[in-house]
Amino acid sequence: MNFSEVFKQSNQLCKVSPDGKYLATCVQYRLVVRDFNSLQIVHLYTCLDPVMHMEWSSDSLFILCAMYKRGLVQVWSLEQPDWHCKIDEGSIGLVSSRWSPDGRHILNTTEFNLRVTVWSLCTKSVSYIKYPKACQKGIDFTADGRYMALAERRECKDYISVFVCDDWHLLRHFESETQDLAGLEWSPNSCVLAVWDSCLEYKILLYSLDGRLLSSYSAYEWSLGIKSVAWSPSSQFLAIGSYDEKVRILNHITWKKITQFEHPATIINAKAVVFKEVEKRPVVGSEDLSIHQLTVDNSLFSTQSKYEITQLPAQVPVIKPDPDRANPKIGISALAFSAGNHYLATKNDNMPQNLWVWDMQRLSLLAVLEQTAPVRCFVWDPHRPRLALCTGNTKVYLWSPAGCVSVNVPVEGSFQVQSLFWHCSGSSLVLLSKEHICLCYVDAEEEK
C-alpha cells in the first residue's frame, strides 16, 4: 500500500467525480478540483460563503456548492471555468440541495420543508413541488434516473408522489400506509419502492412503480422498530436492521423473511472467525532517536496493531445503553452489501467495537472484527469482496475472505481517519481526517 501527501479540506467535503478523473475538495469558501492521478490542481473556484454541501453532476461536468446559511447555491463548470450559476432562495431559506440524475436540474428544499424547487440549468425554468416531508430520506431516484419518489405530508397523512424526471410531471400519487413515514428507497433494478415507518412502529411497505402495494412486513409490535434498511445490488434481498439487535432478510419473490441474523454477546458459531485487534507499542532505544525522527516520523511513536484469531466461544464487548437518553445506542445502525451480493456487513450500536460479516450464500456468520475503538465507518470495494473500515485512529483496516490487515497511515503529524470511501475503480481509498485528506493506493492483486 502507498499513500499520497496530505491536503486540506473542510466539513468532510471531498468527492471523486463519477468518471473517476477528478477529486474535488472544499476548504472553507474555496473549491479545489484536482486531477485524481497526478493530484495537480486543475481548477480553483471561490464561493461567496463557507460551503456546507458539495456534489458532482452525474456526467462530471458541473459541481454544486450549497451555502445553507445564506440560502445560496453556486454551480461551477469544468468545461467552461468562466461560466457559473448562482441560485438564491432568498428569505424562504435552504436546508438541502442536490442534483437530479440528468445533471441539468437542481432540487432545493426550503426551510421548514415548505416546498422543493426544481431549477433547470438549460432552460432557466423553475418548478415547485409542495408538501415535501421532513424525514430521514424523503427523496430518492431510480438507478436509471427516470423517476423520482417523494415523501409528502398533507392533512396529517403520509403520501408518496412519483415524478418523471424528464419534465417533472406527476406520474403517480398515492397515500402511504404509514403512521409517520421515516424514509423510502428504490431497489437497484428500479422496480420496487421500499417505504418504512418511524422507529415507533415496525412496518416496511413495498410498492410497485404504479403505486400498488406489493407487500407489507412487520416483525413485532409495541417496541422500537426499524433503524436501517439496505437493498442488495441485485435487488434480490432487502436487509432490515432493527432496534432488537437483529437483521431480517426479505426475498424479492414473496417479500417474506427468509432468515434473520442475530448479534449475540457470546459467539459460539464454529464456522465464524473472530479477528481481534491487538495493539503493540514499539520499544524505542535512545540510540534510535534523532532530531529528524523526533520532528518528522510520527510512526516511531505510533501504536502498531495486528489481528489475532480468537478461540471460540468468544465474548464480545457490550455497552449497556442509557434508557433515560434519547436515541439509545442499541440496534443495527449500519448495513452494507458487497458488490457481488456475496457478503453483508453490519454494525450493532451497543457493540460499537465490532463489525460483523455474513455470508449471503450460506446465510450464516462468516467473520467478526473486534477493534480496540468503536467502528466509525465501513465501506465495500465497488468491484471486489474487500471491506475497508476506520475507527478514528491513525490506521485503516481491510478485510477480505483471505483475512484482515491493519495499516498505519504514514504521514507527517497525526492523521486520525474519521471516514473513508473507495475510488470508483476500487484501486484506491480516500481517507478523511478532521481537516485533511490522504489517498491510499491499494494493490489490485492485494486481497488482504
Side-chain angles (χ1 to χ4, degrees), residues 280-284 299-304:
K280 180 186 176 186
R281 190 174 291 276
V283 178
V284 182
S299 64
L300 187 66
F301 296 101
S302 63
T303 305
Q304 303 297 321

Side-chain angles (χ1 to χ4, degrees), residues 5 7 21 32 34 66 109 114 127 130 142 156 158 167-168 207 210 261 320 333 376 386-387 422 443 446-447:
E5 58 184 301
F7 303 101
K21 293 180 180 178
V32 183
R34 300 176 187 272
T109 305
L114 295 177
S127 306
K130 291 183 178 181
T142 54
C156 300
D158 289 330
D167 55 4
W168 303 102
Y207 292 96
D210 59 4
F261 298 144
K320 192 173 182 181
S333 63
R376 287 179 178 256
R386 186 165 53 181
L387 183 68
W422 288 94
D443 183 5
E446 191 176 343
E447 278 301 313

Side-chain angles (χ1 to χ4, degrees), residues 373-377 390-395 397 415-419:
V375 176
R376 287 179 178 256
C377 176
C390 63
T391 62
N393 58 17
T394 59
K395 302 176 187 66
Y397 306 92
F415 189 95
Q416 296 180 320
V417 188
Q418 304 293 321
S419 64

Side-chain angles (χ1 to χ4, degrees), residues 311-332:
Q311 295 296 316
L312 299 180
Q315 287 293 125
V316 173
V318 179
I319 295 176
K320 192 173 182 181
D322 185 352
D324 297 326
R325 298 187 67 178
N327 302 315
K329 292 289 184 183
I330 188 171
I332 313 301

Side-chain angles (χ1 to χ4, degrees), residues 203-258:
K203 183 186 283 187
I204 190 159
L205 304 156
L206 296 143
Y207 292 96
S208 64
L209 186 60
D210 59 4
R212 288 180 297 113
L213 179 63
L214 301 174
S215 186
S216 172
Y217 177 76
S218 176
Y220 52 79
E221 292 183 293
W222 318 119
S223 187
L224 290 177
I226 296 171
K227 192 166 187 176
S228 55
V229 173
W231 284 100
S232 69
S234 65
S235 306
Q236 291 174 299
F237 300 116
L238 180 62
I240 307 166
S242 313
Y243 279 90
D244 68 348
E245 305 175 50
K246 296 176 184 176
V247 176
R248 293 166 175 86
I249 308 293
L250 307 187
N251 74 82
H252 73 297
I253 298 172
T254 63
W255 300 115
K256 298 287 189 287
K257 183 183 79 172
I258 55 173

Side-chain angles (χ1 to χ4, degrees), residues 16 20-23 34-39 423 428 430 439:
V16 175
K21 293 180 180 178
Y22 301 102
L23 176 70
R34 300 176 187 272
D35 180 279
F36 191 87
N37 293 322
S38 67
L39 294 179
H423 184 266
S428 53
V430 180
L439 267 58

Side-chain angles (χ1 to χ4, degrees), residues 14 29 72 118 120 143 291-292 342 402:
C14 173
Y29 54 87
L72 279 178
V118 183
S120 170
I291 295 297
H292 174 76
H342 200 135

